[in-house]
Amino acid sequence: MDGDKELAELRELLLRSGAEPRDLTPLPGQQERMERSLAAIVATPRDERSAPRPLRSRSPRRRRTALTTAAVVATAAAISVVLVLRPGDPTAPAAQAGTPPLLSFELAPDGRLPASGRPAAAELERLASLRAGQPTAGSGAVQHVSVDAWWAATVDSGGPARPATTVTPVHTDSYFFPDATLRVVERRGVPLTTAGRIDEPVDLSRGAVTSDESFPSPDPGPRHAAGLPTTAAGVRARLARDDDPALCDDQPAACLVNDMIDLHRSYVVPPDVDAALWGALAREPGVRYLGRTTDRVGRAAVAFTTPSYDGVSQIVVFADPTTGAFLGDELVLVAPSPSYALRPPAVTSFSAVVEARWMHAADVPR
């Protein structure tokens, strides 16, 4: 079957499923999970009974967007990216070829999860108290979120060659305007040190722009984060309204953590909403505190982990220990999976929120 015919059949299938071209563009922060979903699609064995349940959007409202985007990304899935590591800390936990090294945590020095850490409720409540007293960053009407990220995708050509997992560094700047226009600028990310960290920022004046697009944003729009409840119970209930029950009824902590990740990759989240989110997470008994660490961009952080809803990974989230600010997230493969040509443990993605602040429209780069 030739490529054009395959694409035509895929397009017909997506249209029958209700896909619309206007929904092709993801919200900022969803791209990494879409790539993991794509990896699960292209690497699923012929006998589907042996494959784990694939990752998919937790929100029924957003699932159509993720599906159509995955179809478009599939056309470029054969591009290989080489992970370049630079000299750094020789004591860092070892990495597999092609993946970032595991981080070392105060309560998990070797970086191996999930049998690490201690119950997280007390530390999460401390973060909630800290965050509630913080000011909102910046001023103006435009939300700017800057993220350094790496994500992995496994490609199986179906031929005799073994599936290959590639890791791609991306720096993203998103600008959310009050008229619901969303501008997303992507640049190639920078190499990691051998300790698995980024020790120099992307040079925005010289870094090659790989994508710069503006478009009307999908729901829920630019005021979504600002309108969320500021109590733990209230924000938990509001976010759960859009979660997928098939995933989240059995994995409430994973879904709450992923809702937090989505929010912080897309919005300047108000400090009182942040505080409510940490308070809600403190009520999830499966969350573990990993202690202090240094995050992927060299900041002092505290870390927490919970099992992902894919059944083979652990989600790690990072916070500033002095302000309670959300710093980023990481996904670590901890069990064998046909979705990745990797041996566990292995880092399959991470993102670091390097800036989240309000700015004036006149200050947005042209």
Side-chain angles (χ1 to χ4, degrees):
M1 182 180 294
D2 62 47
D4 290 342
K5 186 175 181 181
E6 287 179 337
L7 288 175
E9 291 182 355
L10 178 58
R11 180 177 183 276
E12 181 180 355
L13 174 63
L14 293 173
L15 291 174
R16 287 203 306 266
S17 301
E20 298 177 6
R22 65 184 179 186
D23 284 332
L24 287 173
T25 306
L27 290 170
Q30 291 181 319
Q31 188 66 39
E32 292 85 356
R33 272 185 299 286
M34 292 177 189
E35 291 298 325
R36 294 197 296 272
S37 298
L38 173 62
I41 293 169
V42 299
T44 298
R46 296 292 188 268
D47 182 0
E48 295 184 356
R49 292 171 297 177
S50 64
R53 182 172 58 185
L55 291 173
R56 63 180 189 268
S57 171
R58 300 167 313 288
S59 168
R61 183 177 59 190
R62 295 179 184 174
R63 192 174 304 127
R64 183 174 58 194
T65 302
L67 180 62
T68 54
T69 303
V72 172
V73 173
T75 63
I79 298 176
S80 296
V81 178
V82 177
L83 174 65
V84 179
L85 295 177
R86 301 190 329 193
D89 180 6
T91 65
Q96 294 188 57
T99 65
L102 300 171
L103 290 181
S104 176
F105 304 96
E106 178 185 8
L107 302 179
D110 62 359
R112 292 180 179 267
L113 308 172
S116 304
R118 63 173 185 251
E123 183 64 19
L124 287 165
E125 291 288 6
R126 187 188 74 84
L127 287 180
S129 296
L130 283 173
R131 193 61 183 152
Q134 299 298 315
T136 298
S139 62
V142 179
Q143 298 175 75
H144 173 221
V145 180
S146 181
V147 175
D148 278 319
W150 289 67
W151 45 262
T154 297
V155 178
D156 186 351
S157 65
R162 298 183 63 182
T165 293
T166 60
V167 183
T168 303
V170 177
H171 177 89
T172 302
D173 287 282
S174 65
Y175 305 90
F176 218 159
F177 292 84
D179 66 355
T181 296
L182 189 61
R183 180 186 176 195
V184 180
V185 183
E186 288 191 354
R187 293 174 172 86
R188 178 70 67 193
V190 299
L192 298 179
T193 68
T194 54
R197 292 183 174 88
I198 299 169
D199 64 357
E200 63 182 43
V202 173
D203 186 342
L204 302 186
S205 65
R206 301 192 321 178
V209 173
T210 57
S211 175
D212 185 347
E213 298 190 23
S214 299
F215 45 86
S217 70
D219 287 340
R223 301 301 300 174
H224 174 57
L228 289 173
T230 56
T231 64
V235 75
R236 185 72 181 90
R238 174 60 187 86
L239 293 174
R241 279 169 33 189
D242 295 329
D243 284 340
D244 183 349
L247 289 175
C248 297
D249 286 353
D250 294 333
Q251 299 284 351
C255 287
L256 176 58
V257 167
N258 277 289
D259 286 337
M260 293 175 65
I261 293 169
D262 283 345
L263 283 170
H264 286 91
R265 291 179 184 170
S266 307
Y267 299 94
V268 179
V269 180
D272 54 357
V273 174
D274 257 346
L277 289 166
W278 292 129
L281 195 58
R283 290 156 173 76
E284 294 294 341
V287 181
R288 306 287 291 177
Y289 175 54
L290 297 175
R292 293 180 176 266
T293 188
T294 302
D295 79 353
R296 295 289 180 178
V297 293
R299 300 172 294 190
V302 289
F304 306 86
T305 187
T306 191
S308 177
Y309 43 72
D310 67 356
V312 295
S313 303
Q314 287 283 131
I315 313 168
V316 182
V317 291
F318 302 88
D320 187 308
T322 60
T323 67
F326 181 92
L327 297 182
D329 63 277
E330 188 152 313
L331 195 68
V332 182
L333 184 72
V334 295
S337 169
S339 297
Y340 294 101
L342 298 170
R343 298 188 316 276
V347 177
T348 57
S349 72
F350 73 77
S351 67
V353 179
V354 294
E355 182 172 271
R357 63 172 50 247
W358 292 89
M359 65 188 305
H360 297 281
D363 296 327
V364 175
R366 300 300 177 190

